[in-house]
């Protein structure tokens, strides 16, 4: 099973100005097999993107909690939510 899903944020602290680039990276500590990733904001079921990285040029409406969901077909794990604040 997958475990230890985590998200790192650039810029550190998740504080970005409108129009700036926000980079989120997803990592899985344990788990095997071909991994697929999806990104979600505020608990939405609709993914913002797929892949281990998400890059967004942020706007005023992009503040919120972001999560990465990783799956290897057999199991799925989610990262703790990361707070992003658009200044």
């Amino acid at each position: 099973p997958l475990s230890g899903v985590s998200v790192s944020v650039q810029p550190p602290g998740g504080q970005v100005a409108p129009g700036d680039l926000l980079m989120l990276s997803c990592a899985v500590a344990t788990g095997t097999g071909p991994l697929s990733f999806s990104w979600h904001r505020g608990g939405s079921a609709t993914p913002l993107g797929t892949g281990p990285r998400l890059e967004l040029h942020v706007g005023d409406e992009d503040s919120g909690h972001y999560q990465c969901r990783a799956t290897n077909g057999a199991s799925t794990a989610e990262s703790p939510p990361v707070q992003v604040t658009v200044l």
Side-chain angles (χ1 to χ4, degrees), residues 44-86:
S44 169
T46 306
L48 296 168
T50 56
R53 285 191 302 279
L54 179 69
E55 294 186 13
L56 292 173
H57 287 281
V58 297
D60 293 330
E61 72 283 358
D62 289 322
S63 288
H65 290 93
Y66 288 75
Q67 274 182 297
C68 169
R69 186 175 298 151
T71 182
N72 64 359
S75 70
T76 301
E78 290 187 348
S79 70
V82 171
Q83 175 67 42
V84 170
T85 304
V86 179

Side-chain angles (χ1 to χ4, degrees), residues 12-67:
Q15 295 194 340
V16 287
D20 281 359
L21 184 64
L22 172 71
M23 278 187 56
L24 301 172
S25 300
C26 191
V28 177
T30 58
T32 58
L35 296 174
S36 59
F37 299 92
S38 62
W39 292 92
H40 304 269
R41 181 177 70 224
S44 169
T46 306
L48 296 168
T50 56
R53 285 191 302 279
L54 179 69
E55 294 186 13
L56 292 173
H57 287 281
V58 297
D60 293 330
E61 72 283 358
D62 289 322
S63 288
H65 290 93
Y66 288 75
Q67 274 182 297

